[in-house]
Amino acid sequence: MKRALFYFLGVFSGIASLLGQSHPGYWQQEVDYSMEVDMDVKTYQYTGTQKLVYTNNSPDVLDRVFYHLYFNAFQPGSEMDARLQSIKDPDGRMMEDGKSRIASLTESEMGYLHATSLTQDGASVKFNEEGTILVVDLATPIQPGGKTSLDMEFKGQVPLQIRRSGRNSKEGVALSMSQWYPKLSEYDVEGWHANPYIAREFHGVWGNFDLKLTIDKNYTVGGSGYLQNPQEVGHGYEAPGTEVKTKGKTLTWHFVAPNVHDFMWAADPEYIHDVVDMEDGPTLHFLYKNDPEIQENWKKLQPKTEETMRFFSRNIGKYPYDQYTVVQGGDGGMEYAMSTLITGNRQFPSLVGVMVHEMAHSWFQHVLATNESKYEWMDEGFTTFISSLCMNEVMDQNQDNPFGRSYQSYYALVESGLELPQTTHADRYATNFAYGVAAYSKGSIFLSQLGYIIGQEKLMESIKKYFEDFKFKHPVPNDIKRTAEKVSGIQLDWYLTDWTQTTNTIDYAIKSVESSGNSTKVVLERIGLMPMPLDILIVGKDGSNETYYVPLQMMRGEKENPYPQFERTVAKDWAWAHPTYELVLDRPLDSIEAIAIDPSQLMADVDKQNNVFQVAE
Ligand SMILES: [Zn+2]
């Protein structure tokens, strides 16, 4: 296809966010955790106490609660193990010689997390472990608006690192501690979300965390939360130029994380710890192995992290914490509150790429906390979208269409016949391939294509308003749709429904072009089920360009001209059910060189062959 026919218009500039609006009827639960934990770095076993003050803001009386005990997934015979052994395309990181790595864990290598005692306001309660979920029958039901205190003692063992968290990662990081504590399940308007840990699902309760962690004094610790006692622990947290003297074999690190829904920490005796105080933003911490192979990249990563922080704050909304920490650990990249765990032994562009992606999750997951199990496309997809824009700028990629890869992946999924609707629960996709493309690529296209539908400026305005209105909440799909509707004045229910709840595809075609005296008759055809408005580019023999816009009737509105440098004619509405549409161009056919549907290529048309009509000589 002729490249000259396609234009990507990068109008992704900032527009002031609209005022936030309240959401009458919305409620969310609250947790306040105080934990004291002792970690034995030789056995990788830990014990802890947890005082959890739970506030029931729901209109319902709760007589049970549920906790996640994620580390129990890393045991032979767990649901995670069973799924790994039965899915067609298991995650390569979790396999060795074609076999599940979980299946071969020994007693001392596997993970576990058990409650050893639990009381509610001093009274003992009945609790029962079911795999990765602890089911608790409360002694006293919690009334709407009521608060209760749940006091637990627990013991755990950190599994050999299989997926995300664990000990002794491939890069030699001692402790990557995510999903490590007994974590209360979220209860929201949809009910309980006590999902077993099978592959991927995190949905947490908003609250405040206070952690006192006692660990071998040679280990440097970092992750979520502000350190409260830097002058007692040092390790690069102390005030510059001061000296910290410690006694004994262990140190107790005191962290506080306000208004988060998760808490990660990592520790290693060989971490280098760099601190960057951003003039106009948070303090950045970098923890990475003292390994000469990676040091240069990790130094170069630091100014890129600053640029990225600025990019997201400018384009989505101000980063709301005073600290962000990039930690080498885990098995790829994973986002956590105020921090990320990424693998560190990478080529520089890949190191920046993973940092950018995970930091974007600070907005699309750790502030806009969608339920990842059910709406994975809203956090992975939106993150992919904004990361693609950010990489284009931060890494000077200057791509015409920074979302090109997402579209290619989506087309490949459609072609494969393996696609499932985005409403599928993250664990229930038949293949990891279909999950990955639906969540990351099709989720990213949800936004880039929304830009095609309502206009790029309205899209970026919608993202900012979405952040303002839903930060520190649990937004659901309807919230992004309603936000875009309010910003654009265009009705979008059809878009949310078809794109996220079905596997309907978009295929529009130029069916025929005929001369009709001094005008030209173009017959357009809708082959796919999914509706779309159309931008049509007409390239003249004299090199001129003009566009036609065919509005989709059910949108009840039109976007602004996306190509203000060209003259645009707004044609009559196309009502979806009609398979064809006649567009009459007020010019003779012999003045036209070519006609093309959607020169931006932001509309995910699965068959591009029929989008262009070249007029014969
Ligand atoms: Zn992600």
Side-chain angles (χ1 to χ4, degrees), residues 335 357 361 380 440:
E335 69 277 13
H357 179 96
H361 275 302
E380 292 306 346
Y440 291 75

Side-chain angles (χ1 to χ4, degrees), residues 23-30 54-62 144-145 185-193 203 205-206 472-475:
H23 297 267
Y26 178 85
W27 51 267
Q28 67 190 19
Q29 305 296 72
E30 187 181 333
Y54 185 49
T55 309
N56 178 18
N57 292 317
S58 84
D60 308 318
V61 177
L62 302 178
S185 298
E186 181 60 301
Y187 180 80
D188 60 24
V189 74
E190 296 175 337
W192 283 105
H193 297 279
H203 184 48
V205 191
W206 285 103
F472 303 112
K473 293 192 174 82
H474 293 306

Side-chain angles (χ1 to χ4, degrees), residues 462-531:
S462 299
I463 289 172
K464 288 185 169 181
K465 182 172 166 54
Y466 174 60
F467 176 82
E468 270 311 308
D469 290 358
F470 297 98
K471 60 187 176 188
F472 303 112
K473 293 192 174 82
H474 293 306
V476 294
N478 203 51
D479 294 329
I480 183 70
K481 183 207 79 167
R482 288 294 293 137
T483 303
E485 285 184 338
K486 287 172 189 174
V487 168
S488 68
I490 286 172
Q491 295 187 16
L492 295 164
D493 203 56
W494 60 276
Y495 183 52
L496 182 70
T497 307
D498 273 63
W499 191 252
T500 71
Q501 300 170 20
T502 76
T503 54
N504 290 346
T505 53
I506 301 159
D507 182 13
Y508 281 89
I510 298 172
K511 193 173 187 211
S512 64
V513 178
E514 266 172 47
S515 176
S516 170
N518 262 340
S519 51
T520 302
K521 198 172 92 182
V522 181
V523 177
L524 301 166
E525 185 178 16
R526 177 183 56 74
I527 300 168
L529 276 171
M530 178 150 181

